[in-house]
Structures are given as structure tokens and as C-alpha cells.
Amino acid sequence: MNITVTPDVFKLAQVFTISRGSRTEAKVLTVRVDKDGVTGWGECVPYARYNETLESVTAEIEGLPAGFTREELQSLLPAGAARNAVDCALWDLEAKQAGKRVWELAGLPEPKPEITAYTLSLDTPEKMQAQAAENAFRPLLKIKLGTPDDMPRLEAVRAGAPDARIIIDANEGWSAAVYAELAPHLLRLGVELVEQPLPAGEDEALIGMERPVPVCADESCHDRESLPKLKGKYDVVNIKLDKTGGLTEALKLREQALAEGYQVMVGCMVGSSLAMAPATLVAQGAAVTDLDGPLLLAEDREEPLTFDAEGVHPPKAALWG
């Protein structure tokens, strides 16, 4: 078995800003696993928030032994971007070797399209209202917030898209006081969910606080080991393959989270259709799907995912799985 890692860069359609900074391109790693003339591939997005770089993740992957199974991979690498790309490449390889789709190998029903959120970048209230108006036709908008002065932004987005469903992602940017002040207004403005309002290391403050809309753990939830620390704080968990370390753990996290009474959101980093493809399987029946990465790009993979009025469609075999 031969593994190759290649850095790829995809230009964004416009500057993308969250509470931690801005970017104009998506830098990803493409992993190919070759065995007996068959190639499986996967993609990951190393994330600085988790102390990952293109170089560090490449080194993790290149440090793997010459041969191992997908099951053995789970203990060879920790949850994170490196394991994600290799895990998804191995799923793709297994499907091609078996002449089946990944959903069949995983014992899942055939996937269907899922309505996905479309993310509005953090900006001035005026520019966010313009973004909202431009995308008001979309059924679900996700607003990037995370500053002490977010109320005007929220009001502006609602004015720009009066009929769209809205969810919010604060990216750990609020204090407990700011969240408590904003919370009643979220309900008034029809917000359906708020992601990670407080820093992961400070989310104990959520215990006992009123949650007028469901609160979702993103940075506080990586894999199944995260679940015990979420009790009493969160109502929803955001499953991202770059956090779980691949499709294998993502499916197990979904199963356990649902069993423990959490709702599930399936999210993404800013990557190409190859990164989203495995996540479409996890997103089946999710309370919220947020797999809009390709919609934020100016360029994408060959055979990209299809996005239309039905949502994001599962990948064609030519792309993945």
C-alpha cells in the first residue's frame, strides 16, 4: 500500500471572515492510497485552532507504517485532520475494490440530498445585510458572529433575509455575559440554533444558563470521548470529519450522540467537494447540515458535488465512495 500527500489550494469566491480571522483561499491536503492498481482518495483541512499545519499533518501521514487496515488506523493516529484524510481514502479504496458504494459497505441506506446551510462571513452590519439579501432565496443561512457588538449584525441579516431560517456560529467569540444578553433576542429574531457561543475551555458557564434556542458544541466536541464533558451545556453536537478523524469515527459519534439524547449537526471546514463527500453520509437525517464549503470556492474538484433546491447531493462514484 502506497500513500501520497499533496497540498492543494482552492481560491475562495470572496474573502471569508470568522471571529478568529480572514482568508482568501482554502489550503487542503489531498491523500491518495494506492493498492493493487486501485486508488482511494480523501481530503483534510489542517486547522490552526487545533495546532495543525499543512506540514505537521503531512508528517503525521508520512509517518504511518507501510501497511495497515482502516480499523488499525484508528489507533495509529489521533482524531484530527491527518486521520480523516487517510480514513476517507481507505473507505474509497475499499468501495472501489468491492465494486460497491461506501454507504453499502457501511450498512447505511442509500443517501439522499440534504438541505445545507449557506454561511455569511463576518462583516459590518451593512455588508452582512447585503450578503443576506443576495442569498435570501436560500432556505437556511448561517451567520458568522463572535464579537461583543453582534446585535446590529443579527438585526441586519434578518432584515436582509426575512424569510430564511437562521443559525448562528460565534466561533467561541462571546463571553458568558454577552451570550446571556443576546440569548433572548435570538428567539425574537427566529434563530434556530447557536454554535459554540463560549470558548471550549470556558463552557462550564453554560450549565444552568437559559438556552432559549438550542446550543451546539463545535470546538467542544471532537469525537466520542468529548460527549461526557458536554452534559448540561449543549443540546446539539457538530460532527466534522476533520475533528473526528474520519468517517469511521464520525458514524460512531453520530450513533452515540443520538443515543444520549443530543441532536446532530454535520459541519465542515472550508474545503472542496472531496472533503464534503463522506460527510454527506453522516448528514443523512441530521437536524442541521452545514456542508457549504464548495459553495464558498471559486474553483472545485472535477466531478464536484451537486447543489440545488433539494440541497447537497451525495457524491458520484467518480468523485468519492
Side-chain angles (χ1 to χ4, degrees):
M1 187 166 73
N2 183 54
I3 300 177
T4 57
V5 189
T6 307
D8 286 305
V9 178
F10 295 90
K11 293 180 181 177
L12 301 188
Q14 58 190 26
V15 178
F16 184 74
T17 302
I18 67 172
S19 62
R20 282 191 285 269
S22 302
R23 70 181 77 174
T24 58
E25 55 191 16
K27 296 181 179 179
V28 311
L29 291 175
T30 304
V31 168
R32 289 174 175 81
V33 178
D34 297 289
K35 186 176 182 181
D36 300 328
V38 181
T39 300
W41 64 330
E43 177 184 315
C44 67
V45 184
Y47 201 45
R49 169 65 179 81
Y50 305 131
N51 299 313
E52 295 174 335
T53 65
L54 293 171
E55 294 76 18
S56 70
V57 172
T58 297
E60 282 188 272
I61 296 169
E62 291 180 342
L64 287 167
F68 53 87
T69 65
R70 183 169 49 80
E71 291 72 22
E72 291 168 340
L73 172 67
Q74 309 310 308
S75 58
L76 289 173
L77 288 176
R83 196 176 77 191
N84 174 33
V86 180
D87 181 80
C88 291
L90 288 174
W91 274 107
D92 189 40
L93 179 70
E94 290 169 29
K96 288 171 177 172
Q97 289 174 326
K100 296 183 176 182
R101 300 304 307 271
V102 165
W103 58 267
E104 294 178 279
L105 296 182
L108 302 171
E110 184 174 359
K112 302 288 191 286
E114 290 283 341
I115 293 294
T116 181
Y118 180 82
T119 304
L120 304 185
S121 182
L122 179 67
D123 212 320
T124 64
E126 294 76 19
K127 289 184 178 178
M128 291 188 76
Q129 182 168 345
Q131 285 185 65
E134 183 180 345
N135 292 282
F137 68 95
R138 301 183 189 275
L140 179 61
L141 297 179
K142 174 173 169 175
I143 313 171
K144 288 291 188 179
L145 296 177
T147 79
D149 307 307
D150 280 336
M151 196 63 224
R153 292 184 173 94
L154 183 53
E155 297 272 13
V157 169
R158 177 47 84 199
D163 298 321
R165 296 167 56 208
I166 288 178
I167 60 177
I168 285 174
D169 186 1
N171 280 117
E172 305 181 279
W174 290 340
S175 66
V178 168
Y179 171 63
E181 182 180 341
L182 285 176
H185 298 287
L186 304 182
L187 195 62
R188 172 177 64 82
L189 291 167
V191 173
E192 296 186 7
L193 174 143
V194 56
E195 269 187 88
Q196 200 70 40
L198 308 184
E202 301 171 20
D203 60 0
E204 292 291 327
L206 290 170
I207 296 177
M209 288 184 71
E210 278 195 48
R211 298 201 292 272
V213 301
V215 178
C216 178
D218 183 1
E219 286 85 352
S220 289
C221 181
H222 289 250
D223 54 14
R224 284 173 292 169
E225 292 184 5
S226 303
L227 290 176
K229 301 175 184 177
L230 306 182
K231 291 183 179 177
K233 306 174 189 176
Y234 297 98
D235 312 289
V236 187
V237 297
N238 189 348
I239 300 175
K240 293 179 179 175
L241 272 65
D242 276 312
K243 294 188 301 176
T244 65
L247 178 62
T248 301
E249 176 63 20
L251 291 171
K252 293 175 180 177
L253 173 57
R254 181 181 70 171
E255 181 180 12
Q256 187 168 330
L258 291 171
E260 294 188 16
Y262 295 99
Q263 290 185 298
V264 164
M265 174 179 182
V266 176
C268 64
M269 308 303 185
V270 183
S272 81
S273 284
L274 178 58
M276 309 301 126
T280 62
L281 304 186
V282 189
Q284 297 299 299
V288 177
T289 296
D290 177 26
L291 297 177
D292 64 342
L295 296 177
L296 306 176
L297 302 179
E299 52 192 0
D300 198 358
R301 303 279 183 179
E302 294 182 15
E303 301 291 344
L305 292 176
T306 297
F307 292 82
D308 59 22
E310 292 183 286
V312 54
H313 288 250
K316 298 172 184 174
L319 173 65
W320 181 88

